[in-house]
Amino acid sequence: MPGMASMNKWAVAIHGGAGVIERTLDPKAAAVRISRLEAVLASAREQLSRGESALNAVEQAVVGLEEAPEFNAGKGAVLTAAGTHELEAAIMAGHSGACGAVCLLETIRNPIRLARFVLDRSPHVLLAGDAAERLAEDLDRVANDWFRTDLREEQWKKWKSTADEADAKGPATVGAVALDMQGNLAAATSTGGRTGKPCGRIGDTPTIGAGTWADQRCAISSTGHGEAFMAAVAAHTVACRLEFCSEKLEVAMQQMVHEGLPARSGGMIAVDTEGTIAMPFNCEGMYRGAADSMGRFGADIWS
Ligand code: ASP
C-alpha cells in the first residue's frame, strides 16, 4: 500500500506564490514575508508532530496564509478588472480522494474553510459564487473591500494604466501540502487569482488536478500562470508520472516545471509518502518553506 512506508514520519511544505521576485526586493519586506511563512510552518510542525491529520494541517496552514495580508489569498487578494475581489480555493485528501473546491467568492473571509466544508459535507466537488457562500452559515463573512490592501490597489492601478500584470512581482497564491504520521497526504491552495482578471475567470487553484491534487502517492499545490497549469493538468500529470512511470517525486516535478510548463510560468510544491519534499520553480523566485520530522525547518524566496 502506498503510504505504509511513512508511518511516524511527517513532512509539510507551504508556498506564498511564484513569479518575478527581484533580488533587489526591500530586505525588510522580504524578512516580513519569510517570518510569516515560518510562523505558519511552525504551527504546521506543531500540529503534525502531535499526530494531527495532514488534511487539518494543510487547511490550517492555508488559513494562516489567507490571514497574512502580504499574500494573494484572503486578506491581500488581488483585484479583478472591475476592481473587486473574486476568491477561490481547493483542498484534497489523498487517502480517500475526497476534494472540495470553491470559486467566484466575494465575502467568505477564509475560502479554504468553505472548500473544506464542500469536501466534508457536499456530494459535489466544485461550487461557485453566492450560492456557495451561503452554504456554510458558521463561516465568517466580510465586505468585499475588506480583502483590499494598499499594495493590491497600487498593482491594480498600474495594471489599469499599463495592462502590466504587476502582481507577478509580488507574493501570490498560497498553498500547503503535508504527509501525516498515519501516512496520509493532503493538499490545499487558495488565491485571489490574477490582477485585472475578468470577472468570472476561474484559474488553476480550484481546478482539481491542475493547481491542487493529492492521492496515495503525493500531494501537490501549484502557483503561477493558471491557464498554463490548467492546460498541462500540471499537478495530476506529476502524480501520473509517479504512478505509471515509477518516477521519483523530484524527477517528475522537475520535468513538469522545467519542460511541461512554459518558462517563467510559476512553481509547484509537493510531498510524497516517504516525506520527500520537492519545490521547483521556473521563474525568479517562489515564497516557500518546508519542515519535517527529521528536523528540517526553513523558508526561502530565491534559489
Ligand atoms: N495560479 C493563480 C491563478 O492563475 C495565480 C498565482 O498563483 O499567482 O489564478
Side-chain angles (χ1 to χ4, degrees), residues 15-18 72 88 165 167-168 170-174 189-194 197 201-206 211 222-227 229-230 265 267:
H15 71 77
N72 172 17
E88 47 195 42
E165 265 198 289
D167 61 321
T173 295
V174 307
T189 318
S190 180
T191 191
R194 314 279 302 180
K197 68 181 180 180
R201 179 266 192 184
I202 297 163
D204 59 316
T205 296
S222 312
T223 169
H225 195 261
E227 282 68 15
F229 284 79
M230 291 163 88
S265 57

Side-chain angles (χ1 to χ4, degrees), residues 63-273:
V63 167
L65 293 165
E66 286 177 340
E67 289 291 312
E70 291 81 16
F71 299 102
N72 172 17
K75 178 84 182 167
V78 299
L79 281 77
T80 64
T84 58
H85 302 274
E86 287 186 354
L87 312 172
E88 47 195 42
I91 186 164
M92 185 161 187
H95 59 283
S96 62
C99 43
V102 287
C103 58
L104 306 179
L105 305 182
E106 294 182 352
T107 65
I108 293 285
R109 176 172 174 150
N110 295 113
I112 199 65
R113 288 202 198 281
L114 187 57
R116 177 68 191 265
F117 180 93
V118 173
L119 182 155
D120 287 336
R121 311 269 291 273
S122 158
H124 308 292
V125 167
L126 174 60
L127 295 172
D130 181 52
E133 295 196 295
R134 281 188 278 111
L135 276 179
E137 286 166 0
D138 295 348
L139 294 186
D140 279 357
R141 296 179 72 175
V142 292
N144 191 251
D145 63 6
W146 179 85
F147 297 107
R148 188 156 314 194
T149 60
D150 292 347
L151 171 70
R152 299 311 181 188
E153 190 142 6
E154 266 169 45
Q155 289 179 336
W156 181 76
K157 285 184 182 148
K158 183 157 183 235
W159 167 82
K160 265 274 214 220
S161 59
T162 63
D164 175 34
E165 265 198 289
D167 61 321
K169 298 193 175 81
T173 295
V174 307
V177 295
L179 166 72
D180 64 30
M181 291 208 282
Q182 293 70 46
N184 294 324
L185 293 155
T189 318
S190 180
T191 191
R194 314 279 302 180
T195 296
K197 68 181 180 180
C199 291
R201 179 266 192 184
I202 297 163
D204 59 316
T205 296
T207 305
I208 297 298
T212 308
W213 179 258
D215 60 19
Q216 292 188 41
R217 287 180 176 75
C218 61
I220 302 175
S221 173
S222 312
T223 169
H225 195 261
E227 282 68 15
F229 284 79
M230 291 163 88
V233 199
H236 186 248
T237 299
V238 170
C240 286
R241 294 181 75 99
L242 265 59
E243 181 168 4
F244 302 119
C245 310
S246 304
E247 280 183 2
K248 295 273 186 211
L249 182 73
E250 181 66 32
V251 172
M253 287 284 280
Q254 290 288 341
Q255 198 284 337
M256 173 50 63
V257 168
H258 295 290
E259 292 170 47
L261 288 164
R264 303 168 73 82
S265 57
M268 303 170 86
I269 60 168
V271 62
D272 68 11
T273 50

